[in-house]
Amino acid sequence: MSELRPSEMELYKLWLENATEDPDLIEELRSVEGDDEAIKDRFYRDLEFGTGGLRGVIGAGTYRLNIYTIRRATQGLADYVNEAYPGQDNAVAIAYDSRIKSDLFSKEAARVLAGNGIKAYIYSELMPTPMLSWAVRTLHCKAGIVCTASHNPSKYNGYKAYGSDGCQMTIEAADTVLGKINATPMFGGAKLVGFEEGLASGMIEYISQDVITAYLDEVQKQQIHPEVCAASGLKVVYTPLNGTGNKPVRAILKRIGVNDVTVVPEQENPDGHFPTCPFPNPEIKEALHLGLELCKTVKPDLLLATDPDCDRVGIAVPDKDGNYVLFSGNEVGAMLLEYICKERIKLGTMPERPVAVKSIVSTAIADAIAADYGVEMRNVLTGFKFIGEQIGYLEAAGEANRYIFGFEESYGYLAGSYVRDKDAVVGSMMICEMAAYYRSIGVSLLDAREAMYKKYGNYVHTVESFVCEGAAGMAEMAKIMGDLHENPPKEIAGFKVVALADYLKKTDTDLVTGESKGIDLPKSDVLKFTLDNKATVIIRPSGTEPKIKAYYTTIAAVREDAVELGQKIAKEFKASLGF
């Protein structure tokens, strides 16, 4: 048992005395009385506010998400906005998903903003995260907040902060907000008005249906072949995984003529407990179990699954035997890029000097595709805000139309520059259009994927996560990453490391020649090892969850060989880390 510091016990007592507005918190605090480990876990640190905002377990304490940590964070954000934009009619947009207490947390944020003289625009019902980015830009807000924990298990919630450009907050802005949060007392430090009082005064306003309709209009404009879906007879099974996608995804599919949509009934309505899906993540096959079961009877051309805040989408398609095959985010991203390039060039709608953007951990086959079609591929750090940032650079130069597509391997896609975040609504639409188009020329998505690999090579990607829970886990994460930066391996699974990119030191070194060049990206705790067989291993700590993530890429003439090689590298690299 770890020793309980007096400061943690003092905080525990302080919360027992002051956290009285939410009976759930007092009940929880009383339930852990005398349990030093449980108290320590709730109070040994604060939730860390970074470029992803806050994310944590819902509950009592400084290391939990609750109305007090939400208020304190929002006070810090309000102080930042008022200082950055003095004397202006400042406004902030707010959205929330289906998670436990998301609606409560969003209203608490609105109360604090109004209490600081900042107008709060808030959606009247749960909405996808990309619609927060849309609201920020459309309503000319100085910042945005969305209460979501994306695809995490139900015990988590989060608070993501956005800048005036509709991107997640920059590192510099987040650091400023963090300083202001730290200067705010947990109890009594936030200025508040009543929610109804804020509505009556106009300092809190519900976002109108016009804004929602305009968003769907912009999504629909991203079509390449507007006529193809209605003529295709495409049949779809869809699951919103008890999240926010149900209304907007079905609305956009109806608009483009995909009318044969069957929704997984158990996962149709919002439910933050995710009763049929403990891990509501379209990357995980288990999350799609009910959808895949429904496919056996409905026999659709496509299964779509969006995560709870509807910024990511996964798919499955039937093979010749009627079994449904899952596609990875890398595969869908690369296929969409190829489809967009090929068809826009054919139609004469491709802009001059087109630009695509992806994260450094996403598939390198996309670089080959981009080069083949004369598209500039920009590789950025993990986090869709960095893709949004590139769109912003193009927009500032009056060249936003050059951006054609961006994606991350974690099932996030964006066609169009109307928002600055990954968007599963446009992703779902573009996937359906791609499937309908290929169907119209007698090609299945499996055929199209095989043709892509035949043309560009068999790239196989594997992602592995090493969970590090609690205080001890966080320390272990820091130790592992620190050791790798200072003593990087010279070989992995028997293959020599021939190049090392250290994104924290911002150096990319050819270990054969000794030549080193700088990395023109912000510092980030990421390492990339290139092996002498052209395989790569990338490792980084997650920015939103207590885990380290490793990304493996292998390339071979025969796909099975690439798969086997990837398994070998992953197994031995994992063992070298002590997992």
Side-chain angles (χ1 to χ4, degrees):
M1 180 184 294
S2 56
E3 184 179 351
L4 186 65
R5 294 179 299 156
S7 60
E8 289 153 8
M9 181 56 74
E10 288 168 3
L11 284 170
Y12 172 70
K13 291 177 179 177
L14 180 69
W15 277 67
L16 267 176
E17 294 169 5
N18 291 277
T20 55
E21 293 176 73
D22 186 342
D24 292 344
L25 301 184
I26 296 299
E27 181 180 347
E28 179 184 341
L29 289 168
R30 287 175 177 159
S31 74
V32 299
E33 185 176 2
D35 186 339
D36 287 0
E37 284 295 329
I39 292 172
K40 179 181 178 64
D41 188 48
R42 287 161 173 77
F43 293 101
Y44 82 98
R45 60 178 294 188
D46 287 354
L47 283 178
E48 185 174 336
F49 187 95
T51 57
L54 303 172
R55 187 172 298 188
V57 174
I58 303 162
T62 58
Y63 194 48
R64 294 289 188 270
L65 214 66
N66 50 67
I67 61 172
Y68 301 104
T69 51
I70 290 287
R71 288 175 183 175
R72 187 172 181 240
T74 309
Q75 183 61 51
L77 179 66
D79 288 340
Y80 162 77
V81 168
N82 281 333
E83 184 178 282
Y85 305 99
Q88 299 187 34
D89 293 329
N90 293 327
V92 172
I94 303 173
Y96 60 94
D97 70 1
S98 62
R99 286 186 174 272
I100 297 166
K101 298 198 174 185
S102 277
D103 54 346
L104 171 63
F105 292 161
S106 67
K107 288 181 177 179
E108 290 296 313
R111 292 178 63 197
V112 174
L113 292 168
N116 284 272
I118 298 171
K119 182 158 188 169
Y121 287 105
I122 185 170
Y123 282 108
S124 60
E125 61 178 323
L126 72 172
M127 289 290 167
T129 289
M131 292 181 72
L132 183 277
S133 179
W134 170 254
V136 169
R137 293 173 57 76
T138 302
L139 299 173
H140 308 292
C141 296
K142 300 300 192 299
I145 298 165
V146 58
C147 293
T148 176
S150 186
H151 56 279
N152 288 88
S154 61
K155 68 179 182 178
Y156 287 89
N157 209 328
Y159 175 103
K160 292 168 69 173
Y162 287 68
S164 60
D165 58 356
C167 285
Q168 282 190 51
M169 192 163 275
T170 65
I171 295 170
E172 295 77 13
D175 286 345
T176 302
V177 172
L178 176 59
K180 295 186 180 303
I181 291 171
N182 290 338
T184 302
M186 185 67 71
F187 298 106
K191 302 170 186 173
L192 286 167
V193 300
F195 187 80
E196 295 300 324
E197 176 189 344
L199 285 173
S201 69
M203 291 303 295
I204 299 174
E205 182 179 322
Y206 284 119
I207 295 171
S208 70
Q209 181 61 42
D210 290 347
V211 173
I212 299 169
T213 301
Y215 162 81
L216 292 171
D217 291 344
E218 286 299 318
V219 171
Q220 193 172 356
K221 287 177 185 177
Q222 309 313 315
Q223 288 183 277
I224 296 171
H225 290 292
E227 75 292 338
V228 72
C229 286
S232 70
L234 195 72
K235 182 186 288 190
V236 174
V237 165
Y238 170 57
T239 172
L241 297 178
N242 299 117
T244 61
N246 188 36
K247 287 186 177 181
V249 170
R250 292 170 75 176
I252 200 65
L253 294 187
K254 184 176 181 181
R255 279 182 174 220
I256 66 172
V258 179
N259 295 311
D260 194 346
V261 179
T262 303
V263 180
V264 177
E266 300 92 336
Q267 297 174 338
E268 178 176 4
N269 296 319
D271 188 339
H273 294 281
F274 308 116
T276 64
C277 185
F279 296 92
N281 183 349
E283 294 180 74
I284 300 173
K285 184 176 183 179
E286 289 74 15
L288 308 186
H289 172 71
L290 287 178
L292 291 168
E293 285 297 307
L294 188 57
C295 286
K296 292 178 180 178
T297 54
V298 175
K299 301 188 186 310
D301 303 295
L302 186 65
L303 167 66
L304 290 175
T306 55
D307 67 340
D309 68 326
C310 195
D311 61 357
R312 305 188 310 136
V313 56
I315 71 168
V317 300
D319 63 16
K320 292 178 182 177
D321 298 322
N323 299 311
Y324 281 78
V325 180
L326 300 176
F327 279 31
S328 72
N330 274 320
E331 290 173 331
V332 173
M335 290 174 68
L336 282 171
L337 175 64
E338 186 180 28
Y339 170 71
I340 290 168
C341 290
K342 182 167 51 179
E343 295 309 310
R344 289 192 67 173
I345 288 173
K346 184 191 300 181
L347 294 172
T349 60
M350 183 70 98
E352 292 185 12
R353 297 183 299 134
V355 172
V357 192
K358 70 176 181 68
S359 62
I360 57 175
V361 299
S362 298
T363 178
I365 200 172
D367 298 271
I369 292 168
D372 190 35
Y373 287 98
V375 174
E376 177 191 346
M377 176 59 76
R378 298 184 181 181
N379 286 280
V380 296
L381 294 177
T382 305
F384 218 89
K385 59 182 171 288
F386 296 112
I387 295 176
E389 184 178 56
Q390 293 298 319
I391 303 173
Y393 293 152
L394 291 170
E395 184 179 63
E399 300 175 341
N401 69 309
R402 289 178 59 199
Y403 170 81
I404 61 167
F405 187 61
F407 78 97
E408 288 186 323
E409 53 77 34
S410 54
Y411 295 58
Y413 319 107
L414 177 64
S417 59
Y418 60 98
V419 295
R420 299 296 157 80
D421 211 341
K422 52 190 177 287
D423 185 353
V425 182
V426 80
S428 297
M429 182 190 79
M430 292 302 298
I431 289 166
C432 285
E433 181 190 313
M434 178 172 65
Y437 174 77
Y438 282 133
R439 180 176 176 172
S440 74
I441 60 172
V443 174
S444 72
L445 286 181
L446 281 173
D447 293 334
R449 185 179 70 173
E450 188 60 31
M452 179 181 71
Y453 282 130
K454 185 176 181 179
K455 182 176 182 181
Y456 298 105
N458 286 288
Y459 289 71
V460 170
H461 306 275
T462 309
V463 182
E464 192 165 21
S465 295
F466 312 119
V467 178
C468 306
E469 293 277 14
M474 297 298 287
E476 181 65 13
M477 281 174 61
K479 182 180 184 303
I480 288 171
M481 292 305 301
D483 287 347
L484 285 171
H485 281 288
E486 294 308 312
N487 301 291
K490 291 182 172 57
E491 64 173 45
I492 297 174
F495 299 101
K496 186 177 180 182
V497 178
V498 296
L500 170 64
D502 188 322
Y503 290 83
L504 198 58
K505 298 177 181 177
K506 300 182 70 169
T507 57
D508 188 355
T509 306
D510 184 323
L511 299 177
V512 178
T513 65
E515 294 180 12
S516 185
K517 59 184 178 181
I519 295 175
D520 189 21
L521 292 172
K523 283 186 178 182
S524 185
D525 192 4
V526 181
L527 287 161
K528 178 181 179 181
F529 307 98
T530 302
L531 310 185
D532 58 7
N533 60 356
K534 297 185 180 179
T536 61
V537 178
I538 301 176
I539 186 166
R540 69 178 184 91
S542 171
T544 55
E545 301 169 87
K547 61 177 64 171
I548 293 175
K549 301 185 81 170
Y551 305 80
Y552 309 98
T553 299
T554 49
I555 310 165
V558 179
R559 187 156 192 82
E560 289 73 17
D561 292 345
V563 170
E564 184 178 341
L565 179 60
Q567 291 171 343
K568 172 181 169 63
I569 292 172
K571 180 181 179 181
E572 298 199 24
F573 186 67
K574 178 180 179 178
S576 73
L577 299 180
F579 289 102

